[in-house]
């Protein structure tokens, strides 16, 4: 039984335990007492039973005794029982009281515990409400701050708007006053100008009358002079023909004499043959001698026809001279002897006659030609002393006398035997060769001053005349010698007309077979657009001056119209042309816009191109009805009426049809194409402006009716409205009469005496003319019709259009007045003209027969080439003529439609030309190519084609040009090319190695690298085994970079270029501008590097400063020795600044020469520029400690040393190596990653670098073996420079986190802390964050994969991050990475308060919250932050179980701040999980989200 004291003794155990203990003690005491009573009763019963067993004698006594004893016992028992019962009751009461007190105490203790728990819960609720109230207060404060800022910005904006409005109002008032003053001054000046113009007009009228009388007298004198000149010319022609016939007769006589002599000799030989069977001299039999005689006779008889042909040609030329206008004096040269051994192949390229300088212009037709447009008055009178020859349009009264002498140095073409042709082919080839030979025949006539005026002939493709000309000493003049003077406008136009006429008559260009590449077409289109915008007068005057070429003028008008449509410059050019036409006819307004006007010619094509469909829709049904009605007749001419026809009936039908036609025109006027209405408005506007006294509406009607609608009325079959077979003569007459009436209606005039039978229609005209005039007036007074809307025209120009415009450009360039262009415009024009190939090659190509044209075209297409020149070539020793084709990269010699010679431009070493037609090519490998060309100075075409391939190439590596005279050997001046001419050399190199060249790739290179000095070869992906690679082989790139001076850096990653090792060695041997070379995982084996290093050592001009050969594990002893030699031989300022050999050195033994080279370099030049050395990830072992020899010398420029993963074993050498780093005064970055630091003595050098040295970056990832060593490595840092500390993937544990908690505040200036992949858990993150919050310099913090369950609450850790991004004390933080990981390392929705706090952050630019599984709720909160935060530009947020709603929220947030360039990485893993088993609608939504977020 337990005592009360023990029961009531104080206990720290809970109340329920003590009460149960007391209850157990009372129960045990009661049980003991009952046990004693039971024992006594049992013993007395046993005694009585024993007495009774003795016998009956003692029964009474014993019974008495027993009774007595029993009574006594009963008494005693009753007495003891009463006393025991009292004790038991007392014990029971005591136990009950004790139990009751225990229960009360337990109840009180429980009540106090409940009260304490209630108070704790109340305190927790109070704390939570306080936090919520604080957060709400902070949020309200921030919101109020933002609202206040917004209100302030709104007020400022309103204030600025009011200020701007007041300023604009004052500006408008000031402009209004200025405009009023300007208008007043303009009106005053206009009145003065009108007054002066009236006076000038009055004087002009007097002058015009006087000039008319003088002109009449001059015309009479000119007529007499022309008559005399024609008579003299005819006499001269007869004399010349007589002399030529005499020479021909003499030649025939000589040939007959030679033939007779040969025949006599043959007879003598025959006689001698009778004496002997074999001739003693010739050794031939009689039969052989007879065959030889016949052969000689035939050969001698062949040239006899040549003089006759020449004579007939000269006779025809002389006969045409009588009807042709005056031309330049004919220069007669010595006749070249006939050479019957030279024959012409199947290529029909004819040569001009060797007896003339240039062919005469084509003869004029016998009938009078229609009058061309009037010539603009000349600005200045031509100089009477000028030596410029007069052409067909130039008077010769004031020209000096020119005497021409024959020169013995004349170069003449040999007579060639022409293959038979059809008459059409003969005329075509003759015209082609004539024009090709006389493209610039007048250049020598103009003299050297003319060449200086038009610029460098090589820039514009100037082609000298191929015919023989006298030397400069053969031309004399009576006028004094003087420099070239600018031609007048009249001479300028005359030259254009003559040159264009010669060129256009050259070949049949209408077959669209001219050879033009897509690039040339683009250049021509750019030139047309440029000239239309900058110098429209050039095209206008050139077009106007070619009016003499009547058969080509319409084609040229079509070309100008089509090119203007393609370049969308039609309206601007038409406005300019109409204005110029008005200015030319100010005094005679009615003479403008005739049939031969430039406006009329171009309008004809324009209206047909853009208005044909409208005419078919408007007039189709009406005209079909008129044409199909075979019985109807509109004839009202009495002289043409058939039997039974009534003029009145026909008149009624005619008026009915005309009335229907007129109504259709009036009702459809609003639906007319807008460009046509705009051009009609130009007529009205310019007529009102320049000819206010004229009537503008007839001009509008003439344009719309005469030039547009009427042609389709009287010729509906031409416009495709009706088939031509259906238009009968009667229907043709009907529509012609309708057009006559319609034309008079548009002109507003009645029929007169010219067609008296039409006078009966005048009442109808009087009624309808006001109606049509009102329609015209409504058209030209509608302001919307003056808007120049773009013209949609999808048809591409044909080849003939490009040829005509190219020919016009060629002629224009020789006479172009550059006053209209200057500065960059003139430079652009010259550059574009330089990009065009010469026109002579185009003309020569058109002179070929179709089979040869097809062969050349197929050859060019198969080689992906572009022809720059094409012409005839007679190879030395081979009389048969061949074809010389020059492309941008190659030379082809074609004979009988076979390529017999082919050479690349890089094979050419020299060009020799001792005369204009002599040409000899010298090649590195192969025989020379020498011969005669049909065109002169082909050498400059070769130079022009090949010079872009040699940009930046030294002179000793280029081909040489040797020519007589020396001025022909001058190099072409090539303007500065983009990227230092890289594309030209690259194109030639591609052709040399057989790689197809893509012009678009060249354009991309120029655009991408024009301002970038480093060429990244990974931009051009390719695989040698794939056909669709952009650039399957980089060999052309390295070849083009050998001498290039534009690029200073080359980058290439993860692409093998082993086959280019020799080219790379050549690049390093010759290049002098390359300063950076990066070849990461790109080159091998070792001999490739050995060759490259040896080439670097042999290049005294090598300026390489940056070399990155990482991930090329093939550098062994020999290669490293070559590299060491180059390093040791470098003399500052040259030499490496950056040397990266990570994962490249395979021989630890070969590392020693490299270290020795560094030691020798530092001893010789302590200030050498090497600042970064990277030998990381090389299996060097303890060999890396050899660097201590170099580091002890204290290289002054060394700032970065990377030796991670090199595998040193530690020990004294390693400690000495670490200690040697302190000798480097500027060493700021050390990478010791994956190098184990396990001893305290190894920590001391590192700690000293942090404490004493200028170290700003230390990488110890996977290096710390014992976290306790951190306390020795991270001392108190007194430096204020920024410090970056990397401890990623290190087993730190909680101990390392606590050390960092204490060390981080002591590291002054720490800006970067990378703890990614460490095992610190939530407790470690919290401990480190407490230390981070004590420093305010942190910029980059990385806790990726560090979270794990611990004793610290995660909400407390998140609140630390909230404080970090919310407090203004940590505005320096720019990057924060807190990515989670697998289950257990995810913060889940606990991270949402942090995401909410991002809205108010003003410093973060990069954030990583991937792998936390916060779902769509967290994504929506993040989207809300992105709506407000404008600084956060890069976010990683994958692996967060984001659904469709979260993705849509982020997309909408990004659209709000679309102007901010963000890089929100797409959550690919989350999207992949959504795509698993989703519907098509979900896939479409995800696709749109990807497009929006990815953009």
């Amino acid at each position: 039984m337990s005592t009360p004291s023990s029961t009531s003794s104080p206990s720290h155990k809970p109340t329920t335990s003590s009460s149960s203990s007391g209850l157990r003690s009372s129960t045990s005491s009661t049980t003991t007492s009952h046990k004693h009573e039971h024992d006594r009763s049992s013993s007395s019963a046993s005694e009585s039973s024993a007495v009774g067993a003795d016998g009956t004698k003692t029964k009474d006594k014993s019974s008495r005794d027993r009774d007595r004893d029993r009574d006594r016992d009963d008494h005693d028992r009753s007495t003891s029982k009463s006393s025991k019962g009292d004790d038991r009751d007392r014990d029971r009461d005591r136990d009950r009281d004790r139990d009751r007190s225990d229960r009360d105490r337990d109840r009180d203790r429980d009540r106090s515990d409940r009260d304490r728990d209630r108070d704790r819960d109340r305190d927790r609720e109070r704390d939570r409400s306080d936090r919520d109230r604080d957060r709400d207060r902070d949020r309200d404060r921030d919101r109020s701050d933002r609202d206040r800022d917004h209100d302030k910005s709104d007020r400022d904006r309103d204030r600025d708007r009011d200020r701007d409005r007041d300023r604009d109002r004052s500006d408008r008032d000031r402009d209004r006053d200025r405009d009023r003053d300007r208008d007043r001054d303009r009106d005053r000046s206009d009145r003065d100008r009108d007054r002066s113009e009236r006076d000038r007009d009055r004087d002009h009228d007097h002058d015009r009358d006087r000039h008319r009388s003088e002109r009449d007298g001059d015309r009479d004198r000119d007529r007499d002079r022309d008559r005399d000149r024609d008579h003299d010319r005819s006499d001269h022609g007869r004399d010349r023909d007589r002399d030529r016939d005499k020479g021909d007769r003499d030649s025939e006589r000589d040939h007959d004499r030679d033939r007779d002599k040969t025949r006599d000799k043959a007879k003598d030989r025959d006689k001698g043959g009778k004496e002997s069977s074999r001739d003693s001299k010739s050794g031939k039999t009689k039969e052989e001698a007879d065959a030889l005689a016949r052969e000689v006779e035939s050969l001698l008889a062949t040239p006899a026809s040549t003089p006759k042909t020449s004579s007939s040609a000269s006779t025809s030329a002389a006969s045409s001279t009588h009807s042709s206008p005056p031309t330049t004096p004919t220069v007669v040269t010595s006749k070249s002897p006939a050479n019957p051994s030279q024959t012409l192949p199947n290529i029909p390229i004819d040569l001009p006659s060797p007896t003339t300088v240039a062919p005469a212009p084509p003869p004029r037709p016998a009938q009078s030609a229609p009058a061309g447009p009037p010539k603009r008055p000349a600005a200045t009178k031509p100089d009477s002393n000028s030596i410029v020859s007069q052409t067909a349009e130039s008077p010769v009264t004031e020209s000096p006398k020119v005497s021409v002498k024959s020169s013995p140095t004349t170069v003449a073409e040999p007579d060639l035997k022409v293959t038979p042709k059809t008459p059409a082919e003969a005329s075509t080839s003759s015209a082609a060769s004539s024009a090709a030979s006389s493209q610039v025949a007048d250049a020598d006539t103009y003299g050297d001053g003319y060449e200086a005026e038009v610029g460098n002939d090589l820039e514009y493709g100037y082609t000298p005349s191929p015919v023989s000309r006298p030397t400069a000493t053969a031309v004399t003049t009576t006028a004094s010698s003087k420099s070239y003077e600018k031609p007048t406008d009249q001479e300028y136009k005359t030259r254009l007309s003559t040159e264009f006429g010669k060129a256009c008559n050259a070949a049949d260009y209408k077959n669209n077979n001219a050879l033009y590449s897509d690039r040339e077409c683009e250049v021509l289109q750019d030139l047309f657009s440029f000239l239309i915008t900058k110098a429209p007068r050039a095209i206008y005057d050139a077009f106007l001056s070619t009016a003499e070429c009547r058969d080509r003028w319409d084609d040229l008008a079509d070309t100008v119209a089509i090119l203007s449509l393609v370049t969308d410059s039609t309206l601007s050019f038409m406005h300019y042309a109409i204005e110029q036409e008005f200015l030319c006819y100010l005094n005679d307004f009615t003479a403008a816009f005739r049939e031969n006007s430039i406006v009329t010619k171009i309008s004809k094509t324009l209206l047909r191109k853009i208005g044909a469909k409208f005419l078919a829709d408007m007039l189709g049904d009406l005209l079909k009805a008129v044409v199909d009605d075979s019985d109807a007749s509109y004839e009202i001419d009495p002289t043409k009426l058939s039997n039974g026809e009534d003029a009145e009936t026909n008149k009624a039908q005619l008026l009915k049809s005309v009335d229907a036609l007129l109504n259709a025109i009036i009702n459809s006027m609003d639906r007319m194409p807008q460009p046509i209405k705009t051009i009609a408005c130009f007529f009205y506007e310019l007529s009102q402006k320049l000819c206010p006294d004229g009537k503008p509406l007839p001009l509008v009607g003439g344009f719309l009716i005469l030039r547009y609608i009427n042609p389709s009325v009287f010729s509906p079959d031409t416009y495709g409205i009706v088939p031509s077979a259906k238009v009968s003569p009667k229907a043709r007459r009907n529509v012609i009469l309708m057009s006559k009436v319609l034309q008079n209606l548009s002109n507003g005039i009645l029929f007169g005496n010219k067609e008296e039978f039409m006078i009966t229609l005048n009442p109808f005209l009087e009624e309808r003319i006001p109606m049509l005039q009102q329609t015209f007036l409504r058209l030209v007074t509608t302001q919307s019709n003056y808007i120049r809307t773009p013209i949609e025209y999808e048809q591409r120009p044909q080849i003939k259009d490009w040829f005509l415009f190219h020919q016009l450009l060629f002629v224009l360039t020789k006479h172009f007045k550059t006053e209209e262009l200057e500065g960059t415009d003139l430079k652009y024009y010259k550059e574009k003209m330089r990009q065009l190939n010469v026109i002579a090659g185009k003309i020569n190509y058109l002179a070929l027969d179709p089979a040869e044209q097809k062969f050349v075209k197929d050859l060019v297409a198969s080689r992906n080439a572009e022809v720059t020149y094409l012409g005839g070539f007679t190879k030395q020793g081979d009389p048969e003529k061949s074809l010389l084709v020059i492309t941008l990269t190659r030379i082809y010699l074609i004979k009988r439609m076979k390529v017999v010679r082919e050479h690349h431009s890089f094979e050419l070493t020299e060009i020799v030309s001792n005369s204009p037609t002599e040409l000899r090519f010298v090649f590195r490998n192969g025989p020379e190519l020498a011969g005669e060309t049909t065109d002169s100075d082909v050498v400059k075409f070769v130079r022009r084609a090949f010079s872009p391939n040699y940009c930046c190439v030294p002179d000793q590596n280029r081909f040489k040009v040797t020519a007589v005279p020396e001025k022909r050997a001058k190099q072409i001046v090539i303007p500065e090319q983009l990227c230092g001419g890289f594309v030209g050399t690259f194109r030639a190199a591609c052709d040399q190695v057989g790689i197809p060249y893509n012009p678009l790739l060249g354009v991309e290179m120029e655009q991408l690298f024009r301002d970038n000095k480093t060429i990244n070869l990974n931009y051009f992906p390719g695989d040698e085994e794939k056909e669709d690679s952009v650039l399957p082989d980089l060999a052309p790139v390295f070849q083009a970079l050998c001498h290039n001076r534009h690029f200073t850096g080359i980058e290439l990653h993860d692409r093998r270029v082993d086959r280019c090792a020799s080219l790379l060695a050549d690049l390093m041997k010759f290049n002098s501008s390359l300063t950076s070379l990066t070849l990461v995982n790109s080159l091998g084996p070792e001999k490739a590097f050995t060759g490259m290093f040896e080439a670097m050592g042999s290049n005294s001009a090598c300026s390489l400063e940056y070399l990155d050969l990482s991930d090329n594990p093939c550098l062994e002893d020999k290669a490293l020795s070559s590299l060491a030699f180059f390093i040791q031989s470098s003399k500052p300022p040259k030499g490496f600044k950056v040397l990266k050999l990570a994962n490249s050195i395979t021989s630890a033994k070969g590392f020693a020469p490299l270290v020795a080279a560094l030691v020798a370099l530092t001893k010789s030049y302590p200030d050498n520029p090497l600042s970064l050395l990277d030998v990381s990830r090389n299996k060097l072992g303890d060999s890396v400690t050899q660097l201590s020899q170099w580091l002890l010398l204290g290289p002054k420029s060394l700032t970065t040393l990377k030796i991670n993963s090199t595998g040193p074993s530690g020990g004294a050498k390693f400690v000495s190596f670490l200690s040697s780093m302190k000798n480097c005064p500027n060493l700021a970055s050390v990478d010791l990653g994956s190098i184990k630091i396990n001893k305290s003595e190894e920590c001391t050098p590192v700690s000293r670098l942090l404490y004493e040295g200028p170290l700003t970056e230390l990488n110890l990832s996977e290096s710390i073996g014992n976290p306790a060593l951190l306390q020795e490595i991270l001392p108190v840092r007194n430096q204020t420079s920024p410090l970056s500390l990397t401890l990623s993937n290190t087993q730190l544990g909680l101990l390392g986190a606590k050390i960092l908690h204490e060390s981080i505040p002591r590291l002054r200036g720490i800006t970067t802390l990378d703890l990614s992949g460490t095992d610190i858990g939530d407790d470690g993150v919290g401990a480190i964050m407490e230390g981070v919050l004590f420093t305010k310099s942190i910029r980059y913090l990385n806790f990726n994969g560090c979270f794990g369950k611990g004793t610290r609450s995660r909400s407390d850790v998140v609140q630390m991050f909230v404080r970090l991004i919310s407090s203004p004390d940590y505005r320096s933080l720019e990057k924060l990475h807190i990515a989670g990981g697998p289950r257990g390392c995810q913060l889940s929705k606990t991270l949402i308060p942090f995401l909410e706090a991002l809205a108010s952050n003003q410093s973060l630019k990069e954030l990583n919250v991937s792998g936390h599984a916060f779902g769509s709720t967290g994504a929506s909160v993040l989207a809300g932050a992105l709506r407000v935060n404008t600084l956060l530009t890069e976010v990683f947020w994958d692996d967060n179980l984001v659904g469709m709603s979260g993705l849509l929220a982020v997309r909408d947030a990004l659209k709000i701040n679309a102007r901010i360039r963000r890089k929100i990485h797409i959550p690919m893993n989350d999207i992949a999980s959504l795509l698993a088993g989703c519907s098509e609608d979900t896939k479409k939504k995800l696709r749109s989200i990807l497009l929006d977020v990815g953009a």
Side-chain angles (χ1 to χ4, degrees), residues 204-217:
H204 180 67
D205 292 338
H206 293 300
D207 295 336
R208 184 176 56 195
D209 295 337
R210 185 175 67 255
H211 289 318
R212 185 181 296 110
S213 61
E214 293 176 357
R215 202 162 47 244
D216 294 339

Side-chain angles (χ1 to χ4, degrees), residues 460-473:
Y460 308 113
Y462 162 74
T463 311
S465 176
V467 300
S468 55
R469 288 192 291 268
T471 59
T473 59

Side-chain angles (χ1 to χ4, degrees), residues 945-975:
F946 291 168
S947 291
N949 303 341
Y950 289 87
C951 286
C952 300
V953 176
D955 294 338
Q956 62 270 20
N957 295 338
R958 300 188 182 196
F959 63 90
K960 297 186 297 183
V961 178
T962 304
V964 178
E966 293 183 358
K967 66 178 183 180
R968 294 177 54 231
K970 61 182 179 181
Q971 290 290 336
I972 295 179
V973 179
I974 299 296

Side-chain angles (χ1 to χ4, degrees), residues 122 242 319 540 736 854:
R122 189 183 301 110
R242 189 185 309 111
S319 62
Y540 181 83
I736 289 176
K854 183 178 183 302

Side-chain angles (χ1 to χ4, degrees), residues 1198-1212:
L1198 184 65
T1199 59
T1200 304
L1201 180 62
K1202 295 184 178 182
I1203 57 170
N1204 60 298
S1205 304
T1206 52
S1209 59

Side-chain angles (χ1 to χ4, degrees), residues 23-37:
L23 182 60
R24 286 194 299 271
S25 61
S26 61
T27 305
S28 62
S29 61
T30 306
T31 304
T32 305
S33 61
H34 285 298
K35 184 178 180 181
H36 290 302
E37 292 176 357

